[in-house]
Each structure stands twice: as structure tokens, then as C-alpha cells.
């Protein structure tokens, strides 16, 4: 018999025994019995069988759960609320919701308070800005379009544009853009005006800001500029001395088919004055009249300022005298120009609308409107003439005549007038045979103190107040004027009073005022000390809602000029006494006090050199060079 191989030997030795088969069969039977308890036995049901259809298709929830839970383990479920979250989480959520709802109610109360204040025309823009800033940013997303338009209008309605008012307005514009709210072309134009006119001397930086906003307006927002937008851009460019840019804007405006409105034609007059083109000023005025625009005090004042800028003071004075004669020839039918800045702005807008409405009217209808329009010289014309005769010409007698006339036209002597006079004393005083004498300086200083006390005393005279020092330097072509004191040049000041952008344009109908007669003596001023000294000052109450620069108050610039005048005309001892008197009505901060005291020390040193070398009796050019 053959010997088995290795594989056969392994199969023979490892053959399962019968007992092993029996054990395996028993285990398989047990496993099948266990599976039968967890498995639903499905049978084939033929059509027409008696088994209900519901039993054939339904699978119980217990069967679905046991599909994954084979061992039927007991799961410890966390208690949940109706929201499906654990109890601890739901309690914190409820607390969060309560706090959020309270915060929303507080925001809503703030919005309602803001809307109530917007309906009150006496509410200051600063208060409106503070309340708006209490709304979470961006606040524009929570306000209605009507509320936003009202807020923009209130922020834009300011007497003079400053850096603070510019930041306030542009902050709201930025919030509206972030919230995706619609911004009208008028709001964009106002933003450009704030960016370009927020400082006293317009530089390349302001031009760049204005042009950048114009680009955002047309390229990003898709809003095309109108004639008012081009008017603002032209005004900013011309006052910065960028005449080439101004002409490019004019050509672009004409290429787009925009017409010149009242403001643009007034700006053209001043533009030619800045260029020194007197003929251009006269041509622009003739075009304004021929276009059907109504001529009022603002137009006449701009004509006077433009001719002075062009170097034609004789022509400017002729225009000024003709305006006075026109007012007198009409008798009592003409009203005096408004002194309030809001009324001046409303008057200008109404005159522009009247000119558009009367464009196709008969000459008689146009004459009726022109006859009730004020033509008497306004405060702007007097300020620029006083500045010219006090600082440039040095004619104290002419200044006295102008100040006398202001009382007849019911024009209060504003703080800027005193600064021009002090500057005139500092430049032209202290010379042999000069009309700028000590007695006139003392009378002017006493009138200044009386006006300060009448305006509010120490409460009004804080270090934050600022006064305009030079109306012509504000709008000069390159904004460098030799007549501006070095220490005053960078001091905050209001915009040019003869700035065409601030000249008013609604025909208001105040009660007719008596026609003044400048040739007769003024009984109200004949007994005042200042009048006896050659200069008379009215004590008219300052109209309400005036800009701080229009109200007589003490500032650092006023102290500089006043001390310079006394150091020039009198001596160092009297200048020190004047500084003591000013401190009784002024509450300066530490920086202002230190600056004025350092300036006084510098003046004393210069006065010693004047007395030592005889410079005190030198020419006005020497003093002008030092002040500049």
C-alpha cells in the first residue's frame, strides 16, 4: 500500500469528529432562534389575500430604533424644552433675548427723540449729531429715508462751513453709503462744498478732496453732477488760484449742456476779480443782468469786492455809491437787506426761483420784483470797504464815515470791524502827522469793550471762539496776504463775508424801513466818546442766530492785534494795562494765555528796538513787513 502524501496525511489527521458536528449544529440553531426575535418575518402576499394592506406596509418606530440598537442599550437622554435645546442653554437664550429686546427698545426711543428734535428748527446741529451717534453704527440703516434727508438738511444749514461741520456731514454721508441708502445729488453737492470750503485758505488738499467726492458721486454712485455741483467745484478751484482747472470745469459744464444760474454768475464776477481782470468783472455783471437775474444787495456787494480784488478801488467805491443812491431814489418802497444769515440764504434762493419764473415774463412784471428787492449796501460791503481803507489805504477819515453810515442802515458793528481798526492802528499809527492817534485808539478800544459786555461778557468770550481777521485774504488767488499778521494767519476764522457762496439768494418782506440820510448827523452817536474822537459806533443789538465771528468777542487774534496797536501807538506800559483789562472779560485756556503773554514779551522787545533806533517813526511798510 502506498504511503500517504503530506496533504493527505493532514486531512486524515484533522478530520472533524461527529461530536464536533453536533456542537456546531446546536450553536447555529440557538443563533437562529435569537435572530428571529429581532427580525420581522415577511412573507409573500398574493393579491386578494386576507392580510390588511396597513399591516403589509407599516414599520413600527420600535423596529426602526432596534435597527441600530441591536443590544437594546438604555440611553440616558438629556431633558429638552419645546425649543429642542437643553434646559441650561434655553435659559441663557431667554436672558439674551430679553437683553436684546431692551436694547432695541432703547434704540427705538433714541430714534423717536431724534425725529422730534428734527421737527424743531431751533435744535442745534451739534445736539442732533450727538443723538445720532448714540444709534449703533451704521445709524443710517435704522432711520427712514425721510429722516435721513431731514438730518442732512439740518447738518448742511450752517452760517459758515468749518472742519467740525464738515466732519459731521461727511460722517452721515459715509453711514448712508455703508447702509446702501440713496443719496441725492444735492446731498453729494453739499458734501463737496464742505470738503472744499471747510478751511479759511483753500489749498490743493481741499481741491483733491472735492474732486475725489465728485468722482465717487459719478463713478461709484452713478449720479451725474448738475449745474450746482459744477458751481461748487468752480468756486473751490478759483479761490485756490487754480484758474486752469476752473476754466476746464467751465468747459465741461458747457459741454454737458448746463446753464449758468445766479450763483454761477456771481462766482464768475469774483473769479475775474481774483485774476485782476476788472473788465471781466464788468462783463460778468452785464451778463448777469441780461440773463434776467434779479440784482440785490448780495450782487452789489460781490461787485464791490471783485473790483477791489482787481485793483480798482475807485470803481468799487462808485458802485457802492450808486447802490446807495438807488436805495434813496426809491424812497420808502425798498426794504433793508436782512442781517440774519438764514434770511440772507433764503432771500437768495427766492430770487433765483423768481428769475426762472419770470424768464418769459414782461418787463413790467420783472420790474415789480426788482423794485421790492433790497439794494442798500449790506454788512458785507461795509466790512470789505472798512478793511480796505483801514489796512490798505490807511484813511481813518473814510473809515469814520463808513462806520457812521452803518448806523443809518441799521447795520451793527461786528467784531471783525474792530479787528480791522486795530490792525489799521498797528500799521499806520505811531507816525508823524498820522490820523491814527492815541485818542482814536482809546475810543475804539472802549467801544470794543462795551460791545463785548453787551454780547455776553466772559460767558461769550471763551478760548474756542474765533474771529475773522481778513475778509480778503480768505478768497485771495494764492491765499497769501502781506497784511495778515504772522500770529493770526493760522488762527481759526470764519469764511470770507464776501464769499459768493455765502451770499444770500425768497424774497422776504420785512416791514419797510425808513430811508437813511447819511449826510445828516446821527443823534444816536453824536454824544458818544468815540464819535467825539472821530469814529462812532452804534450799540445796536446783535441779531440772533449770528455766527460767533459776527458777534463781538475776545479771541487770541483780537488780543494780538489790540496789543500790537497799543505797542505801536502808545507804549509798552499801556499795552500791559490793556492785556490786564482784556483778561477781565476773557477766559482763555492755558495755551491761549501763554501764547498772548509770549507775544506781549516779543512786542516789548521790538518796542525797545524801535525807541533805540528810531524805527517807531519809520514808514508803515516797516510795520506791515513785521506783521506779515
Amino acid at each position: 500500500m502506498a504511503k500517504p502524501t503530506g496533504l493527505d496525511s493532514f486531512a486524515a489527521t484533522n478530520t472533524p469528529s461527529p461530536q464536533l458536528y453536533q456542537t456546531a449544529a446546536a450553536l447555529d440553531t440557538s443563533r437562529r432562534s435569537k435572530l428571529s426575535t429581532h427580525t420581522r418575518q415577511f412573507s409573500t402576499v398574493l393579491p386578494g389575500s386576507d392580510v390588511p394592506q396597513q399591516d403589509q406596509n407599516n414599520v413600527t418606530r420600535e423596529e426602526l430604533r432596534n435597527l441600530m440598537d441591536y443590544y437594546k442599550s438604555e440611553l440616558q437622554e438629556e431633558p429638552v424644552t419645546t425649543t429642542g435645546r437643553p434646559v441650561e442653554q434655553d435659559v441663557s437664550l431667554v436672558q439674551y433675548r430679553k437683553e436684546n429686546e431692551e436694547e432695541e427698545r432703547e434704540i427705538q426711543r433714541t430714534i423717536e427723540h431724534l425725529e422730534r428734535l428734527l421737527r424743531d428748527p431751533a435744535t442745534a446741529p451739534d445736539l442732533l449729531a450727538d443723538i445720532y451717534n448714540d444709534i449703533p453704527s451704521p445709524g443710517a440703516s435704522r432711520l427712514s429715508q425721510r429722516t435721513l434727508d431731514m438730518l442732512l438738511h439740518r447738518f448742511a444749514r450752517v452760517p459758515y462751513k468749518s472742519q467740525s461741520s464738515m466732519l459731521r456731514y461727511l460722517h452721515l454721508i459715509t453711514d448712508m453709503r455703508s447702509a446702501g441708502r440713496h443719496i441725492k445729488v444735492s446731498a453729494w453737492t453739499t458734501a463737496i462744498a464742505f470738503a472744499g470750503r471747510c478751511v479759511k485758505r483753500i489749498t490743493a488738499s481741499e481741491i483733491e478732496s472735492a474732486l475725489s467726492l465728485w468722482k465717487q458721486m459719478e463713478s461709484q454712485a452713478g449720479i451725474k453732477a448738475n449745474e450746482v455741483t459744477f458751481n461748487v467745484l468752480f468756486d473751490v478751484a478759483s479761490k485756490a488760484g487754480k484758474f486752469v482747472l476752473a476754466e476746464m470745469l467751465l468747459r465741461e459744464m458747457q459741454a454737458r449742456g448746463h446753464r449758468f444760474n445766479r450763483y454761477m454768475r456771481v462766482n464768475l464776477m469774483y473769479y475775474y476779480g481774483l485774476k485782476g481782470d476788472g473788465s471781466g468783472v464788468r462783463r460778468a455783471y452785464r451778463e448777469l443782468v441780461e440773463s434776467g437775474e434779479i440784482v440785490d444787495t448780495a450782487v452789489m456787494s460781490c461787485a464791490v469786492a471783485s473790483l477791489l480784488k482787481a485793483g480798482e478801488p475807485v470803481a468799487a467805491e462808485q458802485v457802492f455809491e450808486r447802490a446807495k443812491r438807488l436805495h434813496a431814489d426809491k424812497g420808502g418802497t425798498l426794504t433793508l437787506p436782512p442781517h440774519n444769515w438764514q434770511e440772507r440764504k433764503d432771500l437768495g434762493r427766492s430770487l433765483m426761483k423768481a428769475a426762472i419764473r419770470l424768464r418769459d415774463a414782461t418787463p413790467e412784471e420783472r420790474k415789480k420784483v426788482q423794485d421790492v428787492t433790497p439794494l442798500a449796501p449790506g454788512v458785507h460791503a461795509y466790512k470789505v470797504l472798512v478793511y480796505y481803507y483801514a489796512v490798505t489805504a490807511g484813511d481813518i477819515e473814510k473809515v469814520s464815515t463808513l462806520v457812521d453810515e452803518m448806523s443809518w442802515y441799521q447795520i451793527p458793528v461786528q467784531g471783525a470791524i474792530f479787528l480791522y481798526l486795530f490792525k489799521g492802528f498797528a500799521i499806520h499809527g505811531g507816525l508823524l502827522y498820522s490820523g491814527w492817534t492815541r485818542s482814536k485808539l482809546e475810543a475804539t478800544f472802549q467801544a470794543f469793550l462795551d460791545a463785548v459786555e453787551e454780547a455776553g461778557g466772559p460767558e461769550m468770550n471763551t478760548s474756542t471762539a474765533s474771529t475773522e481777521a481778513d475778509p480778503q485774504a480768505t478768497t485771495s488767488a494764492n491765499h497769501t496776504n502781506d497784511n495778515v499778521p504772522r500770529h493770526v494767519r493760522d488762527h481759526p476764522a470764519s469764511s470770507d463775508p464776501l464769499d459768493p457762496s455765502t451770499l444770500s439768494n425768497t424774497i422776504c418782506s420785512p416791514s419797510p424801513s425808513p430811508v437813511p440820510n447819511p449826510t445828516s448827523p446821527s443823534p444816536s452817536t453824536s454824544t458818544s466818546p468815540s464819535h467825539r474822537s472821530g469814529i462812532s459806533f452804534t450799540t445796536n443789538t446783535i441779531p440772533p442766530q449770528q455766527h460767533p465771528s459776527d458777534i463781538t468777542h475776545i479771541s487770541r487774534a483780537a488780543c494780538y492785534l489790540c496789543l500790537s496797536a497799543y505797542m505801536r501807538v502808545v507804549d509798552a506800559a499801556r499795552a500791559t494795562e490793556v492785556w490786564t483789562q482784556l483778561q477781565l472779560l476773557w477766559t482763555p485756556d492755558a495755551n491761549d494765555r501763554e501764547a498772548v503773554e509770549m507775544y506781549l514779551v516779543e512786542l516789548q522787545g521790538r518796542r525797545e528796538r524801535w525807541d533805540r533806533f528810531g524805527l517807531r517813526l519809520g514808514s508803515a511798510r516797516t510795520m506791515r513787513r513785521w506783521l506779515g
Side-chain angles (χ1 to χ4, degrees):
M1 183 176 181
K3 188 177 181 179
T5 62
L7 182 59
D8 296 335
S9 174
F10 173 81
T13 56
N14 291 279
T15 300
S17 63
Q19 294 82 5
L20 181 59
Y21 281 114
Q22 294 176 2
T23 303
L27 289 174
D28 182 66
T29 302
S30 175
R31 183 177 65 83
R32 289 178 181 274
S33 63
K34 288 182 179 182
L35 287 175
S36 63
T37 60
H38 299 287
T39 307
R40 182 177 179 83
Q41 301 294 330
F42 291 95
S43 60
T44 303
V45 181
L46 298 177
S49 63
D50 295 334
V51 180
Q53 188 68 24
Q54 182 177 1
D55 292 340
Q56 300 174 21
N57 298 332
N58 285 355
V59 180
T60 64
R61 181 178 299 178
E62 185 70 17
E63 292 173 333
L64 294 175
R65 183 182 299 171
N66 291 336
L67 187 65
M68 290 296 294
D69 188 13
Y70 178 81
Y71 296 102
K72 293 185 178 181
S73 59
E74 297 295 334
L75 299 177
Q76 299 295 330
E77 297 182 355
E78 296 183 0
V80 296
T81 61
T82 56
T83 60
R85 300 182 181 88
V87 177
E88 294 78 4
Q89 296 181 12
D90 198 69
V91 171
S92 62
L93 180 61
V94 170
Q95 183 66 22
Y96 170 76
R97 286 179 175 175
K98 289 182 178 179
E99 295 175 356
N100 192 34
E101 291 174 358
E102 180 62 29
E103 182 180 356
E104 289 295 329
R105 285 193 293 268
E106 182 65 26
I107 294 174
Q108 187 61 33
R109 286 192 291 267
T110 303
I111 294 175
E112 293 173 356
H113 182 46
L114 177 63
E115 292 174 346
R116 285 194 301 269
L117 291 178
L118 282 173
R119 291 191 289 269
D120 183 8
T123 307
D126 290 338
L127 178 59
L128 295 174
D130 292 339
I131 297 176
Y132 172 77
N133 291 332
D134 292 337
I135 304 175
S137 182
S141 61
R142 297 177 176 267
L143 300 179
S144 64
Q145 187 66 40
R146 180 175 179 273
T147 302
L148 289 173
D149 292 340
M150 293 176 62
L151 195 59
L152 285 171
H153 175 73
R154 296 295 294 275
F155 284 175
R157 197 170 176 80
V158 292
Y160 296 105
K161 293 176 175 60
S162 61
Q163 290 186 343
S164 59
S165 60
M166 179 267 295
L167 294 175
R168 181 173 58 221
Y169 192 89
L170 293 185
H171 173 65
L172 181 56
I173 291 291
T174 303
D175 280 0
M176 292 181 66
R177 295 188 63 191
S178 301
R181 309 305 294 269
H182 175 68
I183 303 176
K184 299 179 180 178
V185 62
S186 58
W188 278 107
T189 302
T190 305
I192 295 173
F194 271 110
R197 299 171 177 167
C198 64
V199 295
K200 181 178 179 180
R201 290 173 178 82
I202 301 176
T203 62
S205 177
E206 284 72 40
I207 295 178
E208 183 179 356
S209 299
L211 294 177
S212 176
L213 283 174
W214 180 32
K215 181 179 179 181
Q216 295 177 27
M217 168 186 172
E218 294 199 338
S219 300
Q220 300 179 13
I223 299 177
K224 295 298 181 182
N226 58 10
E227 64 275 4
V228 182
T229 309
F230 280 102
N231 177 25
V232 172
L233 292 169
F234 174 80
D235 179 65
V236 173
S238 61
K239 290 175 182 175
K242 308 298 183 182
F243 301 127
V244 176
L245 175 60
E247 293 173 358
M248 292 173 61
L249 290 169
L250 277 180
R251 289 195 295 269
E252 179 66 21
M253 179 179 179
Q254 294 172 343
R256 296 191 183 191
H258 296 305
R259 300 183 60 177
F260 287 0
N261 58 12
R262 170 187 175 88
Y263 298 103
M264 191 65 179
R265 296 189 182 279
V266 172
N267 277 336
L268 277 173
M269 293 170 55
Y270 202 75
Y271 164 75
Y272 287 116
L274 291 173
K275 294 182 66 176
D277 186 359
S279 300
V281 174
R282 296 180 181 87
R283 183 171 61 255
Y285 175 77
R286 286 195 301 268
E287 292 176 355
L288 182 145
V289 175
E290 293 171 358
S291 66
E293 297 291 345
I294 307 299
V295 179
D296 69 332
T297 298
V299 176
M300 302 304 295
S301 298
C302 184
V304 172
S306 301
L307 289 172
L308 285 175
K309 284 290 184 182
E312 299 187 16
V314 177
E317 189 171 359
Q318 289 177 354
V319 173
F320 181 74
E321 295 297 332
R322 289 171 186 169
K324 291 192 295 185
R325 284 199 300 270
L326 283 174
H327 177 82
D329 291 343
K330 296 297 181 180
T333 60
L334 280 180
T335 60
L336 291 175
H339 301 310
N340 184 279
W341 65 271
Q342 294 178 334
E343 294 177 354
R344 291 197 297 264
K345 289 179 178 292
D346 293 339
L347 175 63
R349 294 189 183 95
S350 295
L351 291 177
M352 184 174 66
K353 294 177 181 178
I356 296 175
R357 187 175 65 253
L358 299 173
R359 188 167 291 162
D360 300 327
T362 62
E364 290 75 15
E365 294 177 346
R366 186 182 303 278
K367 185 176 183 299
K368 290 179 181 179
V369 177
Q370 182 65 70
D371 288 344
V372 298
T373 302
L375 274 175
V379 62
H380 300 292
Y382 276 101
K383 286 171 71 174
V384 74
L385 285 173
V386 168
Y387 179 86
Y388 173 78
Y389 285 109
V391 177
T392 305
D395 190 345
I396 186 66
E397 301 301 330
K398 186 63 178 180
V399 171
S400 178
T401 302
L402 292 171
V403 174
D404 285 339
E405 291 180 7
M406 292 177 68
S407 63
W408 282 109
Y409 288 106
Q410 303 179 11
I411 300 175
V413 179
Q414 299 178 352
I417 300 293
F418 290 103
L419 294 193
Y420 307 155
L421 290 172
F422 288 141
K423 192 170 185 178
F425 280 106
I427 293 176
H428 306 287
L431 303 175
L432 288 175
Y433 312 112
S434 172
W436 300 82
T437 61
R438 176 175 180 173
S439 59
K440 294 179 181 179
L441 175 59
E442 294 288 356
T444 303
F445 180 66
Q446 186 59 48
F448 174 70
L449 295 181
D450 294 341
V452 168
E453 292 181 350
E454 184 181 358
E459 292 79 7
M460 180 62 198
N461 296 280
T462 60
S463 296
T464 56
S466 62
T467 307
E468 176 187 36
D470 182 357
Q472 299 190 36
T474 308
T475 54
S476 61
N478 51 13
H479 300 281
T480 56
N481 194 310
D482 294 337
N483 299 332
V484 183
R486 171 174 75 254
H487 303 275
V488 182
R489 184 173 297 153
D490 298 327
H491 192 71
S494 63
S495 61
D496 187 354
L498 288 175
D499 184 344
S501 62
T502 62
L503 295 178
S504 55
N505 280 327
T506 18
I507 296 179
C508 58
S509 10
S511 57
S513 304
V515 180
N517 182 10
T519 59
S520 61
S522 171
S524 61
T525 59
S526 59
T527 59
S528 63
S530 57
H531 182 75
R532 291 194 300 269
S533 302
I535 304 178
S536 62
F537 298 95
T538 65
T539 56
N540 296 1
T541 302
I542 301 294
Q545 301 179 1
Q546 291 290 326
H547 189 264
S549 66
D550 296 337
I551 302 176
T552 305
H553 66 282
I554 302 175
S555 63
R556 187 192 297 188
C559 292
Y560 286 157
L561 293 175
C562 186
L563 294 178
S564 298
Y566 270 94
M567 194 69 71
R568 173 76 170 179
V569 177
V570 192
D571 52 27
R574 179 57 182 146
T576 304
E577 295 176 1
V578 167
W579 170 231
T580 304
Q581 290 181 264
L582 291 174
Q583 292 182 84
L584 297 177
L585 295 176
W586 188 37
T587 309
D589 57 21
N591 293 332
D592 284 338
R593 185 185 300 276
E594 181 181 1
V596 175
E597 290 177 350
M598 291 178 61
Y599 184 66
L600 181 59
V601 172
E602 182 181 356
L603 284 176
Q604 292 172 348
R606 290 182 178 273
R607 179 54 191 261
E608 292 178 0
R609 291 192 290 273
W610 294 345
D611 295 339
R612 184 183 308 170
F613 300 105
L615 296 179
R616 178 170 177 261
L617 302 180
S619 64
R621 181 179 301 178
T622 304
M623 188 63 187
R624 193 191 305 273
R625 186 184 304 113
W626 174 65
L627 285 176

